[in-house]
Amino acid sequence: MKKMNQSLVTMAAEVAVTETEDGLNYVQVMPENPRPGRVNPFCGYGRGQMLSNGTFDFMRQKRVRNKPEYKVGHISLSYGEDGYDRCIFILPNGQRDEFAFLLQKDIRRIVAYLKKKGL
């Protein structure tokens, strides 16, 4: 079982929940007496839960990023711990007219690398 570091901060606050144009809920917590440094700021991916009694909690989830196994040109190949392998192609806007040519060229390199490794 993983050990959780926990710190408890109690504050009186208003919570505003609004819906964005995309249909997502935007949650904003506004303390009645804001004091800088009272809580550590963070930005992260996670799961928030608002209960009917007004209690709100948020559990951060660690974002798993894998370093590329192979990277060449505009493309990279990585093996994920989540069971998915990823081949990511990134191209600057200024090279859109070369997209098809560069994609074919870089995919050939990935295929050659995989064949070399015997996959």
Side-chain angles (χ1 to χ4, degrees), residues 34-48:
R35 287 189 295 178
R38 188 168 187 188
V39 295
N40 293 330
F42 71 91
C43 178
Y45 173 76
R47 182 173 177 87

Side-chain angles (χ1 to χ4, degrees), residues 53-118:
N53 67 359
T55 305
F56 179 78
D57 63 40
F58 182 82
M59 177 73 76
R60 280 183 78 178
Q61 295 173 345
K62 187 172 184 173
R63 184 173 174 187
V64 179
R65 292 182 182 228
N66 299 307
K67 292 191 177 183
E69 171 81 16
Y70 182 68
K71 187 173 182 177
V72 64
H74 299 91
I75 202 162
S76 66
L77 172 70
S78 61
Y79 302 119
E81 294 175 12
D82 57 358
Y84 293 97
D85 298 337
R86 291 171 178 79
C87 190
I88 300 171
F89 185 80
I90 299 175
L91 188 68
N93 294 347
Q95 292 183 307
R96 282 186 184 154
D97 55 338
E98 302 174 58
F99 179 79
F101 170 75
L102 292 173
L103 181 61
Q104 283 182 337
K105 178 180 161 188
D106 289 346
I107 286 291
R108 280 191 209 119
R109 291 177 173 177
I110 292 289
V111 170
Y113 172 77
L114 292 172
K115 284 181 179 178
K116 185 178 173 182
K117 286 196 71 167

Side-chain angles (χ1 to χ4, degrees), residues 21-32:
E21 293 175 0
D22 301 334
L24 300 172
N25 287 334
Y26 175 71
V27 179
Q28 189 175 16
V29 179
M30 300 166 288
E32 289 178 3

